[in-house]
Amino acid sequence: MSTFPRGKPRPRLAGTQGGEPKYQAIYRDLLAQIDTGEYAPGQPLPSQRELADYYGVSLMTVRQALQRLSTEGRIEQRHGLGTFVAGTVIPYQLNNLGSLAEDLAEQGINLQTVLLGVRHEPAPASVLAELQLTPETTLTIIERLRVVEGSPVIHQLSYVPPDLAAELEDEDLNRAPLYRLIEERCRVSLAWATEAIKPVVLTEEQAKLLNQPAGAAALMSTRITYDQDDRPVLADRAIMCASHVVFTTRRQATAEPAVSLRLNP
């Protein structure tokens, strides 16, 4: 049975002669239906053949439109079942230094932070090197789970040096973003950060926290935040569900690349 709304007028497809490509018009029409809730998260889209018949185009044109939606994380293919609207997707901005919760709030997305624990222990050698600290330095490690619309999407570990951690209290972490607390309580002006993101697969422990199957695709962010004196003051490790996060950035002409590529051997 077709899942396409009955009686819905076919959108006008300008085609490639003097207008936008047909696949682009189909992409926009389907995206609008997803954004307005005509197709809710988890709901199946019509089959490719149904879409091709409805829009009066070839299967190849429909696949181009679906590929763009898939690339943007708006739909997902389920082997043997078809194409479904993806679950909660959060836009992760790469060109902004600030609280993730506040960034999403500006876009009308309510992100909840669940504090899983605060502990004090030696950090991995890589973190100590990033923060330019001596071996065996005891750091405060803040473990949080980011939840959007009931779905856990990010598991985050934040490593705070002892001089800053002394100014923070555990109860503060439940009321305000960490960046804001560092600036207000520690009187440190955060200026910039470096962030590296790479694909990983979820361990059993991570999968349990994020309600995903072990071995599922994920992304790991490694971020180091610096103050106005170029001193590293915070190191973060975040594991993000690949199906729930879309990276966004602004590109512009510049002498220095904003993103570098490194091929691992």
Side-chain angles (χ1 to χ4, degrees):
M1 178 181 295
S2 173
T3 57
F4 212 91
R6 297 296 185 184
K8 185 176 184 295
R10 178 185 298 174
R12 182 178 180 182
L13 305 181
T16 57
Q17 299 298 320
E20 69 176 344
K22 291 182 178 180
Y23 82 88
Q24 178 75 5
I26 296 171
Y27 155 80
R28 287 193 302 101
D29 188 61
L30 291 174
L31 181 61
Q33 293 180 68
I34 293 172
D35 286 341
T36 58
E38 290 184 54
Y39 286 108
Q43 184 176 351
L45 288 180
S47 69
Q48 293 183 10
R49 173 56 63 188
E50 288 174 322
L51 289 172
D53 290 345
Y54 176 77
Y55 289 111
V57 297
S58 67
L59 284 173
M60 181 61 69
T61 299
V62 166
R63 287 167 184 159
Q64 286 180 290
L66 295 179
Q67 180 59 49
R68 178 166 180 183
L69 289 169
S70 177
T71 300
E72 295 180 357
R74 306 307 303 270
I75 62 173
E76 57 188 11
Q77 300 287 339
R78 299 181 187 175
H79 183 68
L81 297 176
T83 304
F84 291 76
V85 177
T88 302
V89 176
I90 63 173
Y92 189 93
Q93 297 188 20
L94 295 174
N95 56 331
N96 184 39
L97 179 64
S99 160
L100 177 61
E102 291 173 337
D103 284 347
L104 295 179
E106 291 179 359
Q107 301 173 65
I109 300 173
N110 181 26
L111 178 140
Q112 295 179 313
T113 297
V114 179
L115 182 63
L116 298 180
V118 179
R119 56 187 186 270
H120 311 279
E121 60 187 48
S126 60
V127 172
L128 293 173
E130 291 166 357
L131 294 175
Q132 300 175 12
L133 298 173
T134 58
E136 304 303 322
T137 299
T138 297
L139 301 184
T140 294
I141 305 173
I142 303 167
E143 184 177 11
R144 293 169 291 175
L145 193 64
R146 310 291 198 164
V147 180
V148 176
E149 296 181 3
S151 297
V153 294
I154 301 175
H155 174 239
Q156 185 173 5
L157 295 174
S158 297
Y159 298 85
V160 185
D163 58 328
L164 299 187
E167 303 295 329
L168 302 176
E169 298 180 3
D170 292 359
E171 57 266 25
D172 289 337
L173 300 172
N174 277 318
R175 70 169 180 83
L178 182 57
Y179 269 16
R180 189 195 306 169
L181 288 174
I182 289 176
E183 292 189 320
E184 292 179 354
R185 298 293 297 273
C186 306
R187 296 173 295 282
V188 171
S189 296
L190 303 178
W192 58 282
T194 62
E195 185 168 11
I197 298 169
K198 67 178 182 180
V200 295
V201 295
L202 295 176
T203 65
E204 289 189 7
E205 181 180 358
Q206 293 165 342
K208 185 176 180 179
L209 285 169
L210 295 171
N211 288 342
Q212 297 288 317
L219 297 163
M220 185 176 78
S221 162
T222 300
R223 180 190 290 194
I224 308 134
T225 303
Y226 296 79
D227 66 11
Q228 59 186 2
D229 296 320
D230 296 335
R231 177 176 68 114
V233 295
L234 183 67
D236 284 285
R237 298 288 190 274
I239 298 293
M240 301 174 278
C241 293
S243 60
H244 290 298
V245 177
V246 173
F247 293 95
T248 63
T249 188
R250 176 183 176 183
R251 293 181 178 269
Q252 62 186 48
T254 179
E256 297 182 1
V259 177
S260 62
L261 291 178
R262 182 182 66 185
L263 300 179
N264 292 322

